[in-house]
Amino acid sequence: MRARINPHQVSPKALQPMLDMEAYLAGCGLEHSLIELVKMRVSQINGCAYCLHMHSRDARAAGESEERLHLLAGWHESSLYTDRERAALAWAEVLTRIADTRAPDADFEPLRSHFTEAEIVDLTLLITTINAWNRIAVGFRSQHPRTWAKAAA
């Protein structure tokens, strides 16, 4: 698979609002570990290798365990995630699949027990932003570094 366009080179001004949103989200008060788990889960759903590579490295660098990263796709069945993380991951999944889910109350209501209203807005913007990045990376076939090839050589 080949990259189609490098949007950062072709139109950096167009991507600046996305980068500004990332800067906001990094300092909004949501836990870094939660942010990375949400980015990873949404990227799994969307099949975005570029973002999975980036956010798994970021999560590991921030101290996330390999076990939690490996089990993330099966978080529903794992006890390794907190109730707060579970509420966020459920919301991330329903918003990522919004055409099918319509964001039901059953997935929204648990947020109220674990997040303030401002945090719910920030979490929703986080989910929206990573979905947008996934669409940019997948659509333009952004390539992740081939670190495995270097290790095998």
Side-chain angles (χ1 to χ4, degrees), residues 2-3 49 87 108 122 126 143:
R2 286 189 191 172
F108 181 79
D122 290 341
L126 168 66
Q143 301 294 299

Side-chain angles (χ1 to χ4, degrees), residues 36 39-40 49-59 144-145:
E36 294 303 333
K39 287 180 176 182
M40 289 277 305
Y50 183 88
C51 292
L52 283 167
H53 182 269
M54 177 189 318
H55 296 297
S56 64
R57 291 181 69 142
D58 291 350
H144 65 84

Side-chain angles (χ1 to χ4, degrees), residues 22-101:
E22 285 292 338
Y24 168 78
L25 291 167
C28 74
L30 293 174
E31 308 93 292
H32 183 71
S33 60
L34 179 70
I35 289 171
E36 294 303 333
L37 288 175
V38 166
K39 287 180 176 182
M40 289 277 305
R41 184 63 191 126
V42 169
S43 297
Q44 287 174 336
I45 293 166
N46 290 326
C48 184
Y50 183 88
C51 292
L52 283 167
H53 182 269
M54 177 189 318
H55 296 297
S56 64
R57 291 181 69 142
D58 291 350
R60 284 184 195 96
E64 187 58 71
S65 74
E66 290 292 328
E67 188 173 31
R68 282 174 32 107
L69 292 178
H70 289 300
L71 292 172
L72 185 57
W75 69 267
H76 293 273
E77 299 175 15
S78 175
S79 61
L80 293 180
Y81 306 94
T82 68
D83 288 342
R84 180 174 164 94
E85 290 168 338
R86 297 172 80 71
L89 291 168
W91 190 235
E93 288 187 4
V94 301
L95 289 185
T96 299
R97 297 180 171 127
I98 199 159
D100 297 323
T101 68

Side-chain angles (χ1 to χ4, degrees), residues 115-131:
F115 295 88
T116 66
E117 287 186 348
E119 288 176 323
I120 293 171
V121 171
D122 290 341
L123 177 62
T124 301
L125 289 172
L126 168 66
I127 296 162
T128 302
T129 303
I130 189 59
N131 269 288

